[in-house]
Amino acid sequence: MQFTTTDAATSAVETDCLIIGLPEGNGLDGAAAEIDSAIGGVLTQLDKGSELPRKAGKTLMLHALTGIGARRILVVGLGKAEKLDAVAFDKAVKAAGKALRQSHATSAHCLLADAKVTDRDSDWKVRQAGIALAYADYVYSATKKPKDDAPPATDTVSFPAGKGAEQQLSLASAIAAGVQRARDLADLPPNICTPAYLAEIAETMAAEHDGLEVEILEDEEMEKLGMNALLAVAVGSANRPRLIRLSWSGGKDGDAPLAMVGKGVTFDTGGISIKPRDLMEQMKFDMGGAAATIGAMEAVARLKLPMNVEGVVAAVENMPDGKAYRPGDVITAMNGKTIEVHNTDAEGRMILADALTWTGRLKPDTTVDLATLTGACVVALGHHASAVMTQNDELAEELLAAGQRSADRTWRLPLWDDYQEQIESPFADMKNVGGMPAGSITAGCFLSRFAEGQRWAHVDIAGAAWQWGKPESGTGRPVGMLVDWLVNRAGGWNAVG
Ligand code: BES
Ligand code: MN
Ligand code: ZN
């Protein structure tokens, strides 16, 4: 999807589809009123019969209009004006985008940024509208080709020129590409998206972008480094692990980077502590943290952020096997700490343990790990928020604020020392599970022991990384939140692009 801007009067814009938003209530103003008079009062007529969609996310496509340059008008309901916040706006634009994709329009002109959104300026609205429209235009096609009569993708969307729209749309394109990258990877089946495949994608990206470097570690090097916790998980799979590092050097030489570390379990069977058969196929999404890390690096490179950023991915497959690690095993991690394995399905924390130790050696300013780590996180927060856990209040605030700003929300869970005792073991420095109470937090406690001395936060994205139900699909979250956080640390949107 390409974004453009135009100076043309709304009624004169030649496009397949004009998109307008209407809040609850009666009457028309602004662009809607202007269009209404150009098309001979059609909207007013519909409004009188309460036939215009005004409830949040409802849409209506009007065809065969005369008097304007557009072939169709897509009306989308914005809901109650006082409830139109960032998230509601994002949802409304996605609903419009979905209706647009289902139509046969290949171009559109978007007026949704005219809406009044609480606490959001016009830069944000244009940028977010672009990101959300691109999001809604996504259709999985890697292993299922669309039918010949399927509605096509939207090629171009124009916005009214001025007020910095051009720049915001170019930022939107970069972020949308990052989100799309994450969704593409997440949706791929686990027989294609293996650790080696993730490494290849990282290599391709590094070749495409000046300033983006890649480093890939395989078995031998990981063994030399003593990454036994990561290797313990990997040992049961024929798909050998990779530790992938994408480095963006947009900052000064020697400036400490911001680091992201993604859980890349390309398939999680649970290993010897095998999962039940139902819904196991969803565990292809267990590389959502890796997808978000790679997607965020894609956006960082396209935005050419004036800072140094590291994206580290621990990519493994968790399989049962004659060689697989087992409950009862004691493993010595890269930082020398011993782990008693109680459940081989608590594998994400095992691989992240060594990935965090390794990332610490890069001397980052801050490290944020992203992981579909616990089912308990879905119980706690559902699908609306990613969980942030950190002992650093300032960093928690940074990530919560970035989530709010980007409509990719995060919520904090406590990481108090009180929870640490749940992972004590008589046989090792810790065990890899903490029992039923606070399952997401005890996973965070486990990780904290491998991030000592780092300014670090853990983000559990188990509920956010993919949409459950039909169709199952990667969401690209939390690329939006991460990019917002990075941009903010780089000095804000004005310092970019
Ligand atoms: N990848 C899963 C977590 C998960 C489960 C994410 C369902 C999204 C949906 C993780 O590796 C896992 O299996 N965690 C276990 C931990 C337990 C053994 C302590 C879990 O949540 O049950
Ligand atoms: Mn697991
Ligand atoms: Zn897992």
Side-chain angles (χ1 to χ4, degrees), residues 324-342:
Y325 81 136
R326 53 183 96 60
D329 284 359
V330 174
I331 312 282
T332 304
M334 183 180 171
N335 69 351
K337 294 191 181 175
T338 55
I339 304 164
E340 187 193 3
V341 177
H342 269 216

Side-chain angles (χ1 to χ4, degrees), residues 151-310:
T154 310
D155 295 328
T156 54
V157 178
S158 60
F159 285 73
K163 289 190 266 172
E166 293 75 11
Q167 199 205 343
Q168 294 310 318
L169 290 167
S170 100
L171 299 172
S173 281
I175 297 164
V179 172
Q180 162 107 23
R181 170 73 76 186
R183 299 180 83 188
D184 281 340
L185 291 174
D187 281 354
L188 279 174
N191 59 328
I192 294 177
C193 186
T194 58
Y197 182 87
L198 288 175
E200 265 172 48
I201 291 291
E203 278 172 336
T204 316
M205 278 168 54
E208 275 169 11
H209 298 280
D210 278 348
L212 191 64
E213 305 281 320
V214 67
E215 178 184 357
I216 291 166
L217 272 52
E218 298 194 28
D219 276 289
E220 211 182 315
E221 263 171 297
M222 293 193 241
E223 276 161 30
K224 267 193 224 144
L225 287 163
M227 295 186 159
N228 300 315
L230 188 157
L231 289 166
V233 178
V235 71
S237 175
N239 289 311
R240 300 311 305 148
R242 300 287 189 279
L243 190 83
I244 304 162
R245 171 188 177 192
L246 279 166
S247 310
W248 170 254
S249 15
K252 293 194 198 76
D253 266 2
D255 269 4
L258 296 184
M260 295 172 286
V261 180
K263 169 179 173 182
V265 175
T266 59
F267 194 69
D268 181 13
T269 64
I272 297 300
S273 315
I274 198 161
K275 287 181 181 292
R277 71 186 92 166
D278 284 350
L279 302 182
M280 200 199 271
E281 72 285 351
Q282 291 199 3
M283 283 299 122
K284 73 170 186 178
F285 292 117
D286 210 17
M287 35 60 74
T293 301
I294 295 171
M297 292 307 289
E298 171 95 45
V300 163
R302 287 177 185 242
L303 291 167
K304 301 197 191 305
L305 285 196
M307 68 193 326
N308 298 331
V309 186
E310 298 282 356

